């Protein structure tokens, strides 16, 4: 399903400092436009090396150097090319993206502006921009953006543009996570999968391999447990106070072969597989393999427990890894990133990611389309993804050997393996993502586990209650 990688070069492995959460805008006026000036500026400012430049020509679709007319901005024509990007903790990513936008403007004689916004600001400001009729040309954020605004017919349909990008056309973020009933509005940028953080020194001292399954993880945790020490092998959240407890339940149920709903959105949760998954999760608490406070953590709880050395295994996004090297270098060196464990149904994982959308009404849509085309030229795209230090995964391929992903010193390489096991969004196999999101927000899965743990309820009775709640939610 995945196509070939877009790059071969290995850039440095930068891990940046957290950037401020406020809005930051960078505006550049175009300078003199000539081929020689453009080439010089690109080499000096982008800094990608002699074989890594932002493309000045394109040989796809027509004669050499002749991309489709609707994707070529005329030099100096059209309005300002404005890009809004969801703020990330890694400074290197935004520095690289800003340079790409600036160099694109110089290449085509277009004024540019690159703005970073917090996730909540991005949605709020984009809605306000639509209402005011003053939208950016390109928005980069979570894949949920196309669901929010595509249904309002406020985004440019991009299936034609994707056909010009064959390396993206088969990406799962497109084929399963970006399709709407009336078209395609999402251009995938990266997978942002969560995975396991493992204290490899703890596992090495006990001569244990990295766990491949949830059952193996529990067996290893029993061997690593130190009762009465205040230190616990696992830092898995069993709380309904954040999002991570619910995500954990759904991950484990999926790995066991259970499903909350089927492909027709019919409730299908009450199965032996789901029952076993709930019992497994409850056992982590009753056997004291997780801290007692795991039952009430917010989403920072397991992060903090790992950072202070209280636990040796957590599942999280790349946010923890981005903070480890500058704030806890010894812990950073003792950490390895591993795929989530699998179960009786293999190693399926839910997919999530970042994507680009093109709002209707932007001042320079031709520039936006051309920028997207050139962004995926090699090795530009690969280096952009790798600037995140491995906590983002490419959407175009998995498993191809490259220096970056096969480097034994790259502790984040393990997460790439998960991209071959993505089954779809966490509503999978159901297609009603809106109702599925309501169920996640209501924390129905983790509350079923908590009834077993704190309420001492029989596991089957708790599962029966979960089924009843889901039937109310889905109206069945």
């Amino acid at each position: 399903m995945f196509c070939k990688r877009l790059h071969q070069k290995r850039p440095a492995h930068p891990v940046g400092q957290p950037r401020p959460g406020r809005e930051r805008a960078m505006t550049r006026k175009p300078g003199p436009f000539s081929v020689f000036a453009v080439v010089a500026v690109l080499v000096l400012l982008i800094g990608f090396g002699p074989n890594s430049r932002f493309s000045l020509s394109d040989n796809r679709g027509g004669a050499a150097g002749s991309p489709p007319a609707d994707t070529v901005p005329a030099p100096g024509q059209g309005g300002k090319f404005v890009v809004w990007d969801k703020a990330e903790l890694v400074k290197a990513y935004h520095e690289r993206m800003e340079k790409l936008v600036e160099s694109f403007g110089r290449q085509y004689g277009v004024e540019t502006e690159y703005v970073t916004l917090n996730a909540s600001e991005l949605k709020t400001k984009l809605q306000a921009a639509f209402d005011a009729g003053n939208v950016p040309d390109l928005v980069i954020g979570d894949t949920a953006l196309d669901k929010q605004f595509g249904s309002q017919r406020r985004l440019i349909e991009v299936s034609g543009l994707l056909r010009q990008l064959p390396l993206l056309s088969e990406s799962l973020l497109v084929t399963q996570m970006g399709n709407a009933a009336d078209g395609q509005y999402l251009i995938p940028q990266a997978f942002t999968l969560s995975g396991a953080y493992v204290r490899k020194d703890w596992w090495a001292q006990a001569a244990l391999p990295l766990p491949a399954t949830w059952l193996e993880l529990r067996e290893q945790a029993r061997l690593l447990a130190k009762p009465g020490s205040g230190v616990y092998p696992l830092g898995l959240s069993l709380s309904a106070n954040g999002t991570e407890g619910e995500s954990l339940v759904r991950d484990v149920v999926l790995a066991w072969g259970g499903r909350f709903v089927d492909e027709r959105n019919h409730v299908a949760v009450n199965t032996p597989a789901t029952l076993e998954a709930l019992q497994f999760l409850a056992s982590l608490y009753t056997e004291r393999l997780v801290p007692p406070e795991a039952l009430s953590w917010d989403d920072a709880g397991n992060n903090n427990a790992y950072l202070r050395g209280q636990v040796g295994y957590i599942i999280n996004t790349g946010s923890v890894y981005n903070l480890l090297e500058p704030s806890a270098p010894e812990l950073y060196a003792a950490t390895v990133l591993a795929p989530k464990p699998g179960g009786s149904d293999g190693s399926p994982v839910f997919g999530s990611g970042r994507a680009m959308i093109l709002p209707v009404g932007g001042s320079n849509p031709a520039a936006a389309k051309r920028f997207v085309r050139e962004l995926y030229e090699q090795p530009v795209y690969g280096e952009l993804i790798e600037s995140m230090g491995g906590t983002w995964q490419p959407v175009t391929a998995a498993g191809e050997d490259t220096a970056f992903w096969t480097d034994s010193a790259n502790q984040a390489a393990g997460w790439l393996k998960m991209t071959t096991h993505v089954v779809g969004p966490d509503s999978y196999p159901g297609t009603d993502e809106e109702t599925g999101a309501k169920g996640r927000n209501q924390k129905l899965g983790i509350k079923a586990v908590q009834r077993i743990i704190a309420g001492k309820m029989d596991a089957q009775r708790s599962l029966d209650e979960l089924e009843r709640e889901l039937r109310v939610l889905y109206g069945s």
Side-chain angles (χ1 to χ4, degrees):
M1 165 161 258
F2 292 85
C3 309
K4 289 198 176 286
R5 288 298 302 277
L6 298 177
H7 62 287
Q8 298 297 329
K9 258 185 83 175
R10 180 193 174 201
H13 178 190
V15 178
Q17 298 290 337
R19 64 182 299 107
R22 60 183 176 82
E23 177 177 343
R24 187 171 69 96
M26 289 73 67
T27 304
R28 298 289 184 271
K29 300 281 186 178
F33 185 76
S34 73
V35 173
F36 298 106
V38 169
V39 172
V41 168
L42 289 176
V43 171
L44 291 174
L45 290 184
I46 297 182
F48 290 160
N51 296 317
S52 177
R53 60 181 175 81
F54 208 62
S55 172
L56 296 178
S57 64
D58 194 317
N59 295 329
R60 294 187 299 268
S66 302
D70 69 342
T71 63
V72 183
Q77 299 298 310
K80 180 192 293 185
F81 175 43
V82 180
V83 179
W84 288 6
D85 199 350
K86 176 190 167 188
E88 296 291 340
L89 291 175
V90 178
K91 184 179 179 181
Y93 162 75
H94 288 297
E95 290 177 341
R96 191 175 292 268
M97 182 61 83
E98 179 186 0
K99 288 180 179 178
L100 288 172
V101 173
E102 290 175 6
S103 65
F104 178 87
R106 281 186 289 270
Q107 178 177 341
Y108 291 104
V110 175
E111 185 179 357
T112 64
E113 182 177 77
Y114 177 71
V115 181
T116 62
L117 297 161
N118 287 335
S120 59
E121 287 181 305
L122 183 61
K123 292 182 179 180
T124 301
K125 289 183 178 292
L126 185 55
Q127 184 66 60
F130 276 122
D131 294 341
N134 185 26
V135 296
D137 300 288
L138 182 67
V139 179
I140 309 171
D142 297 328
T143 51
L145 283 174
D146 79 301
K147 303 297 182 186
Q148 179 178 355
F149 296 106
S151 62
Q152 302 175 17
R153 298 186 180 275
R154 289 183 160 182
L155 303 180
I156 295 174
E157 208 278 335
V158 295
S159 57
L161 178 59
L162 287 169
R163 283 194 292 271
Q164 300 164 19
L165 300 168
L167 290 169
L168 285 182
S169 62
E170 295 184 16
S171 169
L172 187 137
L173 277 177
V174 171
T175 59
Q176 293 190 28
M177 301 177 66
N179 287 318
D182 59 344
Q184 172 63 249
Y185 299 97
L186 176 153
I187 304 164
Q189 185 190 35
F191 281 112
T192 55
L193 304 178
S194 59
Y197 292 73
V198 187
R199 284 290 299 265
K200 62 181 180 181
D201 52 339
W202 292 16
W203 261 251
Q205 286 175 359
L208 294 172
L210 292 177
T213 68
W214 290 103
L215 289 176
E216 186 178 4
L217 174 63
R218 183 173 63 181
E219 290 303 313
Q220 292 180 352
R222 290 166 174 166
L223 297 173
L224 292 168
K226 299 178 179 179
S229 67
V231 174
Y232 299 83
L234 307 180
L236 301 175
S237 177
L238 298 172
S239 171
N241 291 334
T243 62
E244 293 179 2
E246 184 68 16
S247 295
L248 176 66
V249 173
R250 291 169 183 266
D251 283 342
V252 174
V253 168
L254 177 70
W256 246 262
R259 304 290 185 265
F260 275 47
V261 296
D262 63 19
E263 62 276 3
R264 296 175 296 173
N265 301 308
H266 294 165
V267 175
V269 72
N270 205 335
T271 64
T274 305
L275 179 62
E276 290 181 15
L278 297 183
Q279 291 170 327
F280 167 83
L281 288 164
S283 73
L284 302 181
Y285 185 87
T286 57
E287 294 186 29
R288 300 182 181 179
L289 302 178
V290 298
E293 55 268 26
L295 210 59
S296 58
W297 273 339
D298 60 18
D299 281 345
N302 65 349
N303 304 31
N304 293 331
Y306 189 82
L307 289 170
R308 64 175 175 262
Q310 184 188 15
V311 299
Y313 185 106
I314 64 172
I315 289 178
N316 214 299
T317 63
S319 59
V320 177
Y321 197 66
N322 295 332
L323 297 174
L324 275 177
E325 187 175 29
S327 63
E330 292 184 2
L331 181 57
Y332 172 83
T335 296
V336 63
L337 302 194
K340 291 178 183 177
S344 58
D345 202 35
S347 302
V349 294
F350 294 121
S352 59
R354 283 173 53 103
M356 294 175 279
I357 55 175
L358 280 62
V360 171
S363 63
N364 205 331
K369 292 178 181 180
R370 181 62 180 174
F371 180 83
V372 169
R373 284 171 55 83
E374 298 198 0
L375 183 65
Y376 289 93
E377 299 222 347
Q378 66 175 11
V380 177
Y381 172 76
E383 292 179 341
L384 182 69
I385 298 305
E386 290 172 1
S387 71
M388 292 298 294
T391 58
W392 287 4
Q393 301 82 38
V395 295
T396 58
E400 175 131 355
D401 291 338
T402 65
F404 179 83
W405 294 107
T406 59
D407 183 3
S408 60
N410 181 0
Q411 315 231 73
W415 284 12
L416 179 65
K417 298 176 183 177
M418 291 189 294
T419 62
T420 63
H421 300 294
V422 173
V423 294
D426 57 11
S427 59
Y428 171 87
T431 57
D432 187 349
E433 294 188 36
E434 183 177 352
T435 303
K438 291 179 181 177
R440 290 191 299 277
N441 292 337
Q442 292 175 21
K443 318 293 174 54
L444 298 182
I446 190 60
K447 287 178 180 177
V449 175
Q450 289 190 336
R451 286 193 293 267
I452 301 170
I453 296 173
K456 310 297 182 183
M457 182 181 286
D458 174 75
Q460 182 60 61
R461 282 187 57 203
S462 185
L463 178 55
D464 292 342
E465 178 65 14
L466 173 59
E467 180 185 32
R468 186 193 66 79
E469 292 169 335
L470 287 170
R471 289 192 182 280
V472 171
L473 180 66
Y474 281 88
S476 61

